[in-house]
Amino acid sequence: YLKEVIARYPDTIFEKESYEKLGRLAMDDGRYDEAKETYNKSLTSEKNSRNCHIHVQIGECYEKQGRIEEAEREYLKAAYLFPDVPYWPVNAQLNVARLLEGQNKWDEAKKVYEKLSSLDRDEGRYAKERLEWIRENIRKARRLAMHFKIKLPREARKRFCGKCNNFFNSRNRKIRIRG
């Protein structure tokens, strides 16, 4: 049915919305490359919530494929191409911060959360919570290093994972610390 609408109404909003729905179906089935392709066909030149959301969905496809840098890039497109759209740009930035945390890029994640923490809504409060969590775990890493009289390698000073209490280098490889 959707393909029929696309063929019957080219270059219309019906075509674009049909592509968006096909993208959602492909994504739900785990066909992420197909989803990204059809989502891209559904984009218009308008600066609206629909297009912003599509960029977020494309970012989710990349993320599910494990292509983190591409996911971050797509989320940032949503955030910066559509700054006046409600909800989706903030959601996209939270996704970027979450991905940065997952890569132990604490300073970069903090910058995103700091920007969002001034919002007077749930997302702003969440950003404040994440900032506090990051600060606490960096303090925890420093206390552990001081307790065991460890001179942390420069690159490990900012790459401490509070979940597993390990330090990581710039390639996200675990660093062995000897006291």
Side-chain angles (χ1 to χ4, degrees):
Y1 169 76
L2 293 171
K3 290 181 180 179
E4 184 180 315
V5 171
I6 291 168
R8 199 171 212 195
Y9 302 100
D11 302 319
T12 66
I13 191 65
F14 301 118
E15 175 196 46
K16 300 300 184 184
E17 287 180 358
S18 295
Y19 274 126
E20 181 183 0
K21 289 176 183 172
L22 284 173
R24 192 172 306 124
L25 291 171
M27 188 172 167
D28 290 345
D29 287 344
R31 296 174 287 145
Y32 302 117
D33 288 327
E34 182 182 334
K36 289 182 299 198
E37 184 180 322
T38 54
Y39 279 140
N40 277 314
K41 288 179 183 178
S42 74
L43 289 168
T44 65
S45 60
E46 297 173 39
K47 299 283 186 189
N48 60 24
S49 182
R50 184 185 158 283
N51 284 328
C52 185
H53 184 220
I54 290 167
H55 280 288
V56 171
Q57 290 173 308
I58 294 170
E60 289 173 2
C61 289
Y62 279 122
E63 188 175 347
K64 288 183 184 288
Q65 290 179 310
R67 297 169 61 182
I68 302 305
E69 286 182 21
E70 290 98 330
E72 288 174 6
R73 191 173 16 251
E74 205 63 40
Y75 290 140
L76 289 172
K77 278 185 198 177
Y80 293 106
L81 291 177
F82 307 92
D84 299 326
V85 169
Y87 182 72
W88 292 114
V90 173
N91 178 275
Q93 290 177 75
L94 287 173
N95 285 341
V96 169
R98 177 179 48 78
L99 292 175
L100 291 168
E101 279 190 64
Q103 299 170 76
N104 298 315
K105 294 180 179 178
W106 303 112
D107 284 341
E108 293 173 51
K110 276 174 52 178
K111 287 177 188 174
V112 177
Y113 287 132
E114 285 168 354
K115 180 180 176 187
L116 297 173
S117 67
S118 63
L119 297 173
D120 188 27
R121 52 195 234 204
D122 289 342
E123 292 87 348
R125 288 184 284 282
Y126 177 77
K128 288 176 188 172
E129 289 174 14
R130 295 309 303 154
L131 274 171
E132 184 54 39
W133 187 90
I134 290 169
R135 287 184 187 121
E136 179 58 36
N137 281 290
I138 288 173
R139 280 189 289 251
K140 186 177 178 183
R142 288 185 184 133
R143 281 194 306 269
L144 282 171
M146 287 173 44
H147 176 75
F148 291 106
K149 297 181 179 146
I150 299 168
K151 172 98 166 110
L152 294 177
R154 182 182 188 106
E155 61 187 18
R157 291 179 193 154
K158 296 178 184 171
R159 296 188 176 269
F160 175 74
C161 177
K163 294 177 187 170
C164 62
N165 291 333
N166 289 310
F167 296 91
F168 295 87
N169 67 15
S170 60
R171 294 186 189 120
N172 283 333
R173 293 194 178 153
K174 187 173 167 182
I175 296 173
R176 292 180 188 205
I177 306 290
R178 295 185 178 106

